[in-house]
Amino acid sequence: MTTSTEIRILTTPQELFSAAADEVIHAATESVAARGRFTLALSGGSTPKSLFNLLATNARTTLPWDKMFFFWGDERHVPPTDPDSNYRMADEAMLSKIPVKPENIFRIAAENPDAAAAADAYEKTLQKFFALEPGQLPRFDLILLGMGPDGHTASLFPGSAGLQEHSRLVIANWVEKFKTHRLSFTYPVLNAAARIAFLVGGTNKAPTLHEVLESDAPGDQYPAKLVHPTNGKLIWLLDRAAASQLTSAV
Ligand code: 6PG
């Protein structure tokens, strides 16, 4: 079991997204060469949009789209047409612009008013796609993650019940500050990945990044802190603004 952690600081947001695109292309090439397919879990929020745009343009001819399988690490409890939908963002920025087979796209059916049922359904989707035995975890080739200013990642928020979930693959996690559920991968799924790439930009994330990467603050206060692949590679891709309070960046 080997885990490597790398922190890469890029000068500008453009360089950040270009480095992230290279990471996706590298992981896709290696995975398809080794296993004939590339399983990728997308993050949501605003940061990855520029990466998705870049992949759909500059990497349009480079990536093995027909061998790529798309999943989401988390989703808001809204229909796919909603402006808050992570699926909608990825579809508009990338999926609608690339030659990917619709059957290779596994979105979370978050339009289901019953969030727990939506989580169950997605867990079954993972179990079926990865042909999992009971208790077995899916091993994604690459999981993209972001981090909120509060230290949350995927939809694992500080103080939320989802932080304690160690047997389910997907949960409907109640987020008190938003008074809503979010659908989210759990830590076991995140930490079973072959590669995890965090994409974090902007000054507003700098204090939290220092806490996550350089302090001994507890993980349930900064959930991104507890993401460590048990047998894989963890890479933090940061722009200089986000890294501005890291002593290692000085
Ligand atoms: C979501 C995300 C979430 C996101 C962070 C950072 O659904 O919101 O998956 O974990 O990565 O909130 O969001 P920004 O990129 O918008 O800062």
Side-chain angles (χ1 to χ4, degrees):
M1 300 286 212
T2 57
T3 296
S4 68
T5 299
E6 180 190 353
I7 299 174
R8 209 182 305 162
I9 301 170
L10 294 307
T11 311
T12 64
Q14 291 65 35
E15 286 180 24
L16 173 69
F17 298 120
S18 164
D22 291 346
E23 199 60 33
V24 172
I25 294 165
H26 178 71
T29 309
E30 269 196 7
S31 304
V32 168
R35 287 173 295 282
R37 71 179 190 186
F38 177 49
T39 54
L40 172 63
L42 305 177
S43 54
S46 56
T47 304
K49 192 172 182 177
S50 303
L51 164 63
F52 298 163
N53 279 323
L54 205 52
L55 292 174
T57 49
N58 296 17
R60 199 175 185 295
T61 55
T62 328
L63 280 165
W65 300 111
D66 61 330
K67 296 186 178 59
M68 292 177 65
F69 297 85
F70 296 89
F71 296 80
W72 278 259
D74 74 319
E75 184 58 282
R76 290 83 183 275
H77 193 203
V78 295
T81 51
D82 190 286
D84 277 351
S85 162
N86 287 339
Y87 165 78
R88 177 176 164 177
M89 183 273 281
D91 184 49
E92 290 173 351
M94 176 175 63
L95 299 174
S96 60
K97 301 172 182 170
I98 57 175
V100 60
K101 291 179 264 183
E103 61 268 29
N104 287 17
I105 299 173
F106 299 87
R107 75 175 179 83
I108 300 176
E111 64 271 26
N112 184 335
D114 179 342
D120 289 353
Y122 205 56
E123 183 160 301
K124 289 192 176 59
T125 298
L126 296 183
Q127 286 164 337
K128 185 161 177 264
F129 179 88
F130 288 94
L132 302 177
E133 299 296 326
Q136 216 184 346
L137 294 166
R139 182 167 172 78
F140 280 92
D141 295 310
L142 176 61
I143 297 182
L144 298 175
L145 289 175
M147 185 198 77
D150 61 358
H152 83 264
T153 191
S155 278
L156 300 173
F157 283 80
S160 65
L163 303 184
Q164 316 311 329
E165 179 58 58
H166 296 292
S167 56
R168 303 293 312 275
L169 308 182
V170 184
I171 46 165
N173 195 25
W174 178 256
V175 183
E176 185 56 31
K177 69 175 180 180
F178 299 141
K179 297 269 182 268
T180 184
H181 283 101
R182 287 276 195 98
L183 293 311
S184 186
F185 282 175
T186 57
Y187 282 124
V189 173
L190 296 178
N191 291 331
R195 295 174 196 81
I196 292 182
F198 274 98
L199 208 53
V200 183
T203 318
N204 68 328
K205 307 270 177 81
T208 307
L209 264 180
H210 166 67
E211 294 295 340
V212 168
L213 296 175
E214 297 185 327
S215 87
D216 51 16
D220 57 9
Q221 201 179 332
Y222 300 101
K225 223 175 154 68
L226 299 178
V227 175
H228 282 291
T230 47
N231 177 18
K233 179 182 170 192
L234 173 61
I235 182 167
W236 287 84
L237 296 169
L238 315 173
D239 69 7
R240 191 159 288 294
S244 57
Q245 294 191 25
L246 294 182
T247 48
S248 57
V250 176

